[in-house]
Amino acid sequence: MDGPRTIRPEEFSSLSTLVDTVFRPGQEGEMFRLFPTFLTESNRENIFVFADDDGTIVSHLGMALRWVSIEGCTIPAAAIGAVATYELHRGRGLASQLLKRARCQAREWGADFMMISGGRGLYRRVGAADVGSDVNVAVDRSVADALRDASSALHPLERANIPDCAVLYARRGAHYLRARDDWRAFIDLKVCMCKEFDPWTVRRGGVVCAYLVVHDAAKHDRLEVLEFAGDTFGVSAALPELLDRYGRGSIDLHLEPGDRALHAVLTGAAAPAEPAVTSGTMLLLDVPRLVDRLQPLFRARLGRTYPDRLTVHAGSDGSFEFALGSTRWTAPSVMEAAQFLFGHPEHPPRLGGFKTALPVSTVWYGLDYV
């Protein structure tokens, strides 16, 4: 068995066969179509494989290295996806070795955490955790009627609207630093999180004030907003018109902590909201370095009341001791450290200044899904 190693240019056809067989059987070339900025030769150095003796790719793990912004703090982050092994070769630890190789390369690049699109045992065993202090909101027709606004109009999102949408997206509290050509690829493809979507803009006075990426789950009589950004009232005003256009009974949104104003508008109109974690799981790669990069955020939240820095000490037993002034809290593992920093609906209450400084907002995949 040859690996773990990066893929060679001549092996992409074999890789395509593997990932299609595992994830999209009978749909030749579908996985490469779904991930045009990820499963591509330009990302070859981050695509890890095992090949058997005849040169066939039998196991794969792909990684994307990207920059994210969390309330003004720029963080290098990794994401992995399309992890696949032929059934004949499973149970031999190939995927575990590929994950180890990816984690090492991500750390060397500077990534502080890794987003993972799933929560299988392969990831849990190395400490990947469910994180987030988010909410899911369902808006049905009775709620939507209270959100109508005749001053806002819904229009299809076209390439010419990308600069406006990019500005709106960059205003989100936590977001990817998304390249302009990636925007074009995603909008042209019209697939987000492996779901077909329609992109819409909301305009007020002819100006784009919001956009929504919408999946029509027709068999469930509902719509799903896969990504949105922009003016709170622009987003909320789009919901009743979307229900009208598609003829559906409800529309679902995933809100992050930075969406408090929209949360207030929707729940104020009697939309039910439930606590939620972000999509997939998160694996912290370098906790002290991450905490150091987040210092500007902590200082802004804490103000002058807490002159001390929020610090963390990594123990030899895999634990992490967080300190802020005289307050201490120890996470027994990297999984608990992730939930301490990024929150979890069932995480125990924080103490002292930790309650003011945390949780840190997660980054929703949206169009950048891997």
Side-chain angles (χ1 to χ4, degrees):
M1 193 69 66
D2 181 17
R5 59 169 174 79
T6 55
I7 193 170
R8 296 165 184 154
E10 67 273 15
E11 295 173 326
F12 274 87
S13 176
S14 182
L15 172 62
S16 180
T17 301
L18 167 62
V19 293
D20 286 338
T21 299
V22 173
F23 296 107
R24 291 291 191 272
Q27 301 179 57
E28 183 178 352
E30 181 68 0
M31 285 294 288
F32 276 39
R33 185 186 75 87
L34 292 175
F35 298 101
T37 65
F38 169 53
L39 294 176
T40 176
E41 190 162 341
S42 62
N43 192 44
R44 186 173 68 83
E45 293 304 314
N46 298 311
I47 295 178
F48 308 103
V49 298
F50 273 97
D52 66 11
D53 293 339
D54 67 5
T56 300
I57 301 301
V58 299
S59 187
H60 160 265
L61 181 149
M63 180 171 68
L65 299 175
R66 295 171 177 163
W67 293 84
V68 301
S69 175
I70 300 178
E71 294 189 42
C73 298
T74 302
I75 312 290
I80 63 169
V83 181
T85 303
Y86 281 123
E87 187 171 1
L88 180 64
H89 296 276
R90 293 173 189 168
R92 302 166 63 181
L94 301 183
S96 294
Q97 294 181 63
L98 293 174
L99 178 57
K100 182 179 180 179
R101 171 69 184 269
R103 290 164 62 197
C104 290
Q105 184 152 314
R107 285 195 192 96
E108 290 174 3
W109 179 73
D112 294 332
F113 63 83
M114 177 179 283
M115 294 298 299
I116 304 172
S117 54
R120 55 197 272 202
L122 169 67
Y123 314 129
R124 302 287 186 189
R125 287 192 293 272
V126 295
D130 298 304
V131 296
S133 299
D134 304 351
V135 294
N136 289 328
V137 181
V139 177
D140 62 19
R141 284 191 169 274
S142 63
V143 172
D145 285 339
L147 302 173
R148 292 188 184 275
D149 177 5
S151 67
S152 299
L154 199 64
H155 297 271
L157 194 163
E158 300 174 346
R159 269 194 168 206
N161 306 131
I162 288 176
D164 291 328
C165 294
V167 169
L168 296 175
Y169 179 69
R171 292 175 182 168
R172 291 193 60 81
H175 60 273
Y176 285 94
L177 301 183
R178 186 179 296 159
R180 193 63 55 87
D181 52 350
D182 285 348
W183 271 99
R184 290 192 289 268
F186 296 145
I187 296 303
D188 290 347
L189 178 64
K190 291 185 171 57
V191 174
C192 175
M193 302 177 83
C194 294
K195 299 175 181 179
E196 303 285 340
F197 73 79
D198 296 319
W200 298 93
T201 61
V202 184
R203 304 181 195 181
R204 187 179 292 116
V207 177
V208 175
C209 63
Y211 75 87
L212 301 93
V213 172
V214 179
H215 169 64
D216 181 10
K219 66 180 180 180
H220 300 294
D221 190 34
R222 67 181 180 87
L223 301 175
E224 182 182 1
V225 178
L226 304 176
E227 179 177 302
F228 69 89
D231 177 83
T232 293
F233 294 101
V235 174
S236 63
L239 305 183
E241 189 170 350
L242 285 168
L243 291 179
D244 292 344
R245 285 177 178 258
Y246 289 89
R248 302 295 171 223
S250 66
I251 185 166
D252 301 333
L253 299 92
H254 184 97
L255 307 184
E256 297 177 288
D259 299 316
R260 291 185 184 89
L262 181 59
H263 184 195
V265 168
L266 298 181
T267 55
E274 296 183 353
V277 295
T278 196
S279 177
T281 54
M282 175 185 285
L283 175 62
L284 299 187
L285 300 175
D286 192 320
V287 180
R289 189 169 62 190
L290 173 61
V291 168
D292 189 58
R293 293 193 209 270
L294 290 169
Q295 288 303 324
L297 167 59
F298 298 144
R299 299 306 308 151
R301 289 185 178 182
L302 292 167
R304 297 176 182 175
T305 307
Y306 291 89
D308 298 308
R309 288 166 56 92
L310 193 160
T311 62
V312 60
H313 172 73
S316 59
D317 59 352
S319 66
F320 298 89
E321 183 186 57
F322 294 89
L324 182 58
S326 61
T327 306
R328 301 284 190 276
W329 188 83
T330 299
S333 71
V334 69
M335 182 178 291
E336 284 86 356
Q339 293 180 338
F340 179 71
L341 287 171
F342 290 93
H344 187 278
E346 299 176 1
H347 199 282
R350 296 170 187 82
L351 304 173
F354 290 137
K355 190 173 182 179
T356 302
L358 302 171
V360 175
S361 181
T362 56
V363 183
W364 180 253
Y365 273 120
L367 295 173
D368 290 273
Y369 179 78
V370 169

